[in-house]
Every structure is written in structure tokens, then in C-alpha cells.
């Protein structure tokens, strides 16, 4: 197998206006920086983005908001972005807020071929409005669960630490976050990696995402890996 | 009256040896500083880490290693990384023993509101709805009254809910209370606070039985 493409531009070549795309990352940690830059350059519009957060004003998905490329965000937390707030308040940007575990598990369901999941998150809140629910016994007590549907995304774009030509991926530390389950969930999955290694170099025991889920992979360049909240202690 | 550190210190006394604990943002984060030495406690960060350590030393920050508040952190010996689905899987499956989080309002039957104020910018619930819907044991760190002096311990929450009938214990600047079928049960008073003051600051049903001791904090 050789799924290697030259760069981000080639990897996202067929992402068109009004596509639904998943983007991995938590805050600015583990986000596909190269692909976001390429999407900004390409100028595709009307995108629905499924991503836990929406970046900051000048980094991450925030860059695609500056250029008004995003029609709708599906996220769990979007707090760190003034342009986002402005577009949301003027109604330019549609926002669907969903619980973080629900977001992750709806990706997982897509990758596992399951149409829906049941979760207690959001029962009794506005998240439950209009949703089917069911009661199940848990530890001898009847408990209500919401039915949440698997995501249906045209593309998933993830960032890994290492990858190989087969598309096998290894993530690093908490930069793993949503990337593995989004990789499994895209109809077409694009992976950008800090280090693209020859087949056979990654230990098969240590693969986080098997290459079957990945359609295109490329060696990323010039990673900034910006820190959102730098917190330290004195030596 | 307790300050934020006092609330954190009092909550730390609820942590038991062998616990896996998820700490929310704000006062709950401070609790980590007061876990008794020698106690084996593993901190879960819902972005994918068990075994969260303190902030890194200056110059040793790692952009791949953050907590759920997006702050740079470290790991401790025996830590493990995992993805977000597994993280909420262990939360949903009630493997995490204790969740400590902040709240804007709590009702006397254990409902909690902590994610949305109508008319203000809504940032999102993050992992809070998942945590409160599944946690075995939830302790809330909160202010008893708002800046206008109005109670935040209510018969019914006014703000949009994060979860229903889930809060087990509350530690405020004034008191420690359990949530019971009869309402808030007063367990302890903060230093220098009278039962009368707590009564006046609580709008929800309040159960006061016998002599209410003053809390002991080192």
C-alpha cells in the first residue's frame, strides 16, 4: 500500500464547498495545522466542521472563521475565539453544542459501523430536546439514555505523530484526543504526520490507528504546535 | 467563611486512598494541591490522561501534554494516555470514583447548572454533561450566594441544566451539605459561620438535625 500524497494541497484537493469535515484536536493540541492552512488557501466555503473546539482567533479553525469558510460548527466548547463569537451572535455561523463524550462516541460509532449510541449525557437538559430516549437497567437501577446518531462526515482530517505509507498512525501524549476516532469516522480520511516513516518501522503492537481507516497520508511541515495556556512552576 | 483555598482543602478531605478523581476547572483544580501526602490518588484529565502531575518547570513545557483546561502539565509515574472516546468510556462506565466540579446553581434534589447563562455568550458544556450524568460521586465546589447575596442553593435551578439528580455533596464558603431525598442536609459550618447564616443563604429545602459542628481544616 502506498497512500502517500505530496502535501496538504494534494490531500485536500477534492474537498468541495458545503462538505462536512471532521478535524482532530483538543484546543490547539493535535490539530491538523497543514491541512487547515491548505483549506484556507483553497478557499472552500460553506463547510460544516465537526471538531471539539474552534481554535483561537489566529490559529487552528479560527483561521477558517476569519475567511468565512465555515457555515456550521459542531463542537463541545468554543470559548476562546472573538471572531467566532461575533459570527455566532450575528447569525452568520450556525453552532451546535454537544457534550464532549457524545461527540467522541458519535465518531466512534461511525468508525465501528454502528448507527447510534445511547448515552446518559444531557438527559433532562436542552440537549435532550427532540431526541429519542430509552430506559435501561444499570447496576439494578433504571436509568434514562439518549439515542445519539453516528456522525456522517465526507472527510476526516487528523494529525498524528508518526505514520507509514500504509496509513498506520501513532499519536503522542494528549495530542491523541479525538484524532483516532475521527480517523475511523471519515468517508475519506486524511492524516498529516510529524514524521512519515518507511513501512515496517512502526511496531505493529504500538499502532493506535490501523491504516485501513486512512486514505491519504503526508509528511507535514513547519509545525507551530502552539500552546494555548502556558502554565509552569518555578524550579 | 472559607476562601477558595479553604473550600479546596475541605474537599480534599473527601478523597480516599486508591481513588481515581476527575477535577474540573477553577476551585476543583486547587484540590490537587491538598491531597494528603502518601495517599495513592490518580487524577484523570478527560482529554486523555490518567496520572496527571503538576505544571512543568519553566522551559520544560510540552505542547502535546495539556489538561482539559488546555494548560501545560506533566505526568506522574504510572500514567497512561488514551483517546477521547475511551476517556468518556471510563467516565460513563463509572470507573472514575469521584468527580469534583464547580456550579452556578444546585437544586435541593441534586440538579446542577454550570454551563450556560441565557443572554451571555455560550461557550459550551465541554465534558460537564457527560461527567455529571455518569459519575458515581459528585462533589460540587461553589459559592453559596451570588454577588447580590442571592442563594445559589435553590428549590429548582433557574439556569439551563447540566444534569439532573446527580450532585451528592456541596462545599461552599459557608457550609458542607449532602443532597438527600429530604433536601440539603447541613453537615458542617465554615469557621465563624452560624446555622442561622446558612439558613438565610439557602433557598432550597434545608435539613438541620442536632448540633452542627464547625469544620476542621488544617
Amino acid at each position: 500500500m502506498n497512500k502517500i500524497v505530496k502535501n496538504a494541497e494534494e490531500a485536500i484537493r477534492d474537498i468541495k464547498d458545503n462538505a462536512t469535515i471532521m478535524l482532530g484536536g483538543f484546543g490547539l493540541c493535535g490539530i491538523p495545522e497543514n491541512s487547515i492552512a491548505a483549506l484556507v488557501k483553497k478557499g472552500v466555503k460553506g463547510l460544516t466542521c465537526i471538531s471539539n473546539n474552534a481554535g483561537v482567533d489566529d490559529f487552528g479553525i479560527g483561521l477558517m472563521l476569519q475567511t468565512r469558510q465555515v457555515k456550521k460548527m459542531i463542537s463541545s466548547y468554543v470559548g476562546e475565539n472573538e471572531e467566532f463569537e461575533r459570527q455566532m451572535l450575528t447569525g452568520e455561523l450556525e453552532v451546535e453544542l454537544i457534550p464532549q463524550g457524545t461527540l467522541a462516541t458519535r465518531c466512534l460509532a461511525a468508525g465501528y459501523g454502528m448507527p447510534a449510541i445511547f448515552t446518559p449525557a444531557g438527559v433532562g437538559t436542552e440537549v435532550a430536546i427532540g431526541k429519542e430516549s430509552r430506559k435501561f437497567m444499570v447496576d439494578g437501577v433504571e436509568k434514562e439514555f439518549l439515542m445519539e446518531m453516528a456522525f456522517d462526515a465526507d472527510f476526516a482530517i487528523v494529525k498524528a505523530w508518526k505514520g507509514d505509507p500504509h496509513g498506520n498512525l501513532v499519536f503522542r501524549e494528549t495530542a491523541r484526543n479525538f484524532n483516532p476516532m475521527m480517523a475511523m469516522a471519515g468517508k475519506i480520511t486524511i492524516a498529516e504526520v510529524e514524521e512519515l516513516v518507511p513501512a515496517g518501522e512502526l511496531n505493529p503492537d504500538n499502532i493506535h490507528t490501523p491504516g485501513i481507516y486512512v486514505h491519504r497520508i503526508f509528511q507535514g511541515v513547519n509545525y507551530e504546535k502552539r500552546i494555548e495556556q502556558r502554565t509552569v512552576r518555578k524550579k | 467563611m472559607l476562601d477558595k483555598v479553604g473550600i479546596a482543602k475541605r474537599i480534599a478531605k473527601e478523597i480516599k486512598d486508591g481513588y481515581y478523581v476527575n477535577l474540573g476547572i477553577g476551585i476543583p483544580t486547587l484540590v490537587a494541591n491538598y491531597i494528603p501526602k502518601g495517599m495513592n490518588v490518580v487524577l484523570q484529565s478527560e482529554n486523555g490522561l490518567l496520572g496527571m502531575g503538576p505544571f512543568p518547570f519553566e522551559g520544560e513545557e510540552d505542547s502535546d501534554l495539556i489538561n482539559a483546561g488546555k494548560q501545560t502539565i506533566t505526568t506522574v509515574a504510572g500514567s497512561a494516555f488514551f483517546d477521547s472516546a475511551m476517556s468518556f468510556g471510563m467516565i460513563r462506565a463509572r470507573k472514575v470514583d469521584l468527580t469534583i466540579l464547580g456550579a452556578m446553581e444546585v437544586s435541593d434534589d441534586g440538579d446542577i447548572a454550570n454551563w450556560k447563562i441565557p443572554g451571555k455568550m455560550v461557550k459550551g458544556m465541554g465534558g460537564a454533561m457527560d461527567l455529571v450524568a455518569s459519575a458515581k460521586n459528585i462533589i460540587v465546589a461553589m459559592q453559596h450566594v451570588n454577588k447580590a447575596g442571592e442563594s445559589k442553593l435553590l428549590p429548582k435551578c433557574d439556569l439551563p441544566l447540566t444534569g439532573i439528580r446527580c450532585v451528592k455533596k456541596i462545599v461552599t464558603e459557608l457550609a458542607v451539605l449532602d443532597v438527600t431525598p429530604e433536601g440539603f442536609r447541613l453537615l458542617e459550618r465554615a469557621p465563624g459561620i452560624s446555622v442561622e447564616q446558612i439558613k438565610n443563604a439557602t433557598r432550597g429545602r434545608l435539613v438541620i438535625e442536632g448540633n452542627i459542628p464547625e469544620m476542621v481544616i488544617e
Side-chain angles (χ1 to χ4, degrees):
Chain A
M1 291 278 177
N2 184 2
K3 298 174 180 175
I4 298 172
V5 294
K6 200 166 69 212
N7 53 27
E9 283 73 29
E10 193 185 333
I12 62 139
R13 62 188 181 266
D14 50 353
I15 297 185
K16 299 211 162 60
D17 288 354
N18 304 310
T20 296
I21 59 177
M22 293 178 158
L23 295 126
F26 184 94
L28 303 178
C29 182
I31 60 172
E33 295 181 23
N34 285 211
S35 301
I36 291 170
L39 286 166
V40 170
K41 196 171 151 203
K42 186 174 161 78
V44 280
K45 296 221 169 358
L47 299 173
T48 294
C49 293
I50 302 167
S51 186
N52 190 55
N53 314 93
V56 295
D57 276 306
D58 62 344
F59 202 57
I61 292 174
L63 296 170
M64 289 159 54
L65 292 163
Q66 297 287 348
T67 47
R68 319 273 172 93
Q69 291 174 272
V70 183
K71 179 180 68 182
K72 182 177 181 181
M73 274 305 307
I74 300 174
S75 306
S76 85
Y77 191 83
V78 293
E80 326 295 346
N81 196 320
E82 279 177 34
E83 178 60 18
F84 184 100
E85 185 170 348
R86 193 195 63 73
Q87 289 184 23
M88 185 170 154
L89 293 173
T90 57
E92 286 170 66
L93 178 68
E94 193 185 333
V95 180
E96 186 181 341
L97 293 169
I98 61 178
Q100 197 175 132
T102 302
L103 179 65
T105 315
R106 287 176 66 189
C107 296
L108 192 81
Y112 275 49
M114 301 183 297
I117 55 142
F118 286 92
T119 176
V123 167
T125 76
E126 63 185 50
V127 166
I129 294 169
K131 286 185 183 141
E132 263 183 65
S133 75
R134 255 190 87 164
K135 287 180 175 159
F136 296 95
M137 295 301 284
V138 178
D139 297 339
V141 182
E142 198 176 61
K143 185 167 173 166
E144 190 176 347
F145 290 75
L146 298 182
M147 186 168 79
E148 298 276 8
M149 308 309 288
F151 280 121
D152 183 12
D154 302 315
F155 292 87
I157 307 177
V158 303
K159 150 81 193 316
W161 180 36
K162 291 181 179 180
D164 70 13
H166 286 259
N168 294 311
L169 303 178
V170 177
F171 303 91
R172 184 170 178 270
E173 298 178 340
T174 56
R176 191 183 316 185
N177 56 63
F178 286 84
N179 284 300
M181 76 247 5
M182 286 187 173
M184 297 194 304
K187 285 199 193 71
I188 293 176
T189 290
I190 296 163
E192 57 174 85
V193 297
E194 284 182 59
E195 199 182 334
L196 188 57
V197 303
E201 197 157 302
L202 299 174
N203 181 345
D205 266 333
N206 296 342
I207 304 287
H208 295 133
T209 298
I212 192 167
Y213 286 112
V214 176
H215 304 85
R216 301 169 193 165
I217 187 165
F218 68 92
Q219 168 71 58
V221 291
N222 301 327
Y223 281 106
E224 181 181 338
K225 297 178 69 171
R226 194 187 292 186
I227 290 173
E228 203 164 335
Q229 306 277 350
R230 188 178 299 274
T231 44
V232 294
R233 67 192 147 128
K234 291 256 184 268
K235 263 187 185 156
Chain B
M1 196 183 302
L2 296 180
D3 57 8
K4 285 178 180 179
V5 168
I7 293 175
K9 281 183 173 173
R10 177 60 190 81
I11 291 177
K13 291 173 72 175
E14 300 293 320
I15 296 175
K16 295 190 172 66
D17 198 36
Y19 264 17
Y20 289 92
V21 181
N22 180 290
L23 301 176
I25 292 162
I27 296 174
T29 305
L30 297 176
V31 174
N33 301 332
Y34 305 105
I35 296 168
K37 289 219 162 43
M39 201 179 259
N40 266 308
V41 173
V42 176
L43 300 178
Q44 199 246 20
S45 190
E46 67 264 25
N47 56 320
L49 168 63
L50 277 167
M52 179 167 51
F55 294 150
F57 289 120
E58 255 176 296
E60 293 176 9
E61 309 92 296
D62 178 347
S63 57
D64 286 338
L65 185 47
I66 62 169
N67 64 16
K70 285 122 188 170
Q71 298 170 312
T72 46
I73 47 156
T74 56
T75 55
V76 297
S79 66
F81 294 113
F82 37 84
D83 63 52
S84 300
M86 184 178 281
S87 180
F88 285 94
M90 63 185 70
I91 288 165
R92 206 179 295 117
R94 308 214 281 180
K95 304 296 179 189
V96 176
D97 297 290
L98 176 62
T99 293
I100 302 169
L101 75 178
M104 299 191 280
E105 292 176 351
V106 170
S107 78
D108 62 21
D109 52 2
D111 294 353
I112 178 170
N114 71 354
W115 75 285
K116 182 175 183 179
I117 300 174
K120 287 209 177 159
M121 168 65 185
V122 182
K123 294 185 170 186
M125 65 292 279
M129 283 194 183
D130 306 272
L131 281 159
V132 301
S134 297
K136 272 196 275 201
N137 191 5
I138 299 179
I139 301 179
V140 166
M142 68 186 291
Q143 298 299 316
H144 213 108
V145 294
N146 65 19
K147 288 194 181 96
E150 295 158 346
S151 179
K152 296 163 75 167
L153 277 66
L154 304 168
K156 202 172 181 309
C157 294
D158 293 322
L159 294 169
L161 295 176
T162 307
I164 52 169
R165 294 183 290 281
C166 54
V167 176
K168 301 286 193 295
K169 192 180 281 288
I170 304 164
V171 179
T172 75
E173 76 279 19
L174 303 180
V176 181
L177 312 102
D178 268 353
V179 178
T180 71
E182 291 76 41
F184 300 118
R185 178 178 294 273
L186 182 58
L187 299 178
E188 296 173 20
R189 297 173 289 114
I193 299 296
S194 69
V195 169
E196 204 56 30
Q197 280 171 297
I198 295 163
K199 255 190 192 168
N200 290 337
T202 308
R203 258 183 57 208
R205 291 172 297 156
L206 183 63
V207 179
I208 302 165
E209 274 177 4
N211 192 36
I212 307 297
E214 192 169 284
M215 62 181 88
V216 181
I217 296 171
E218 291 77 38

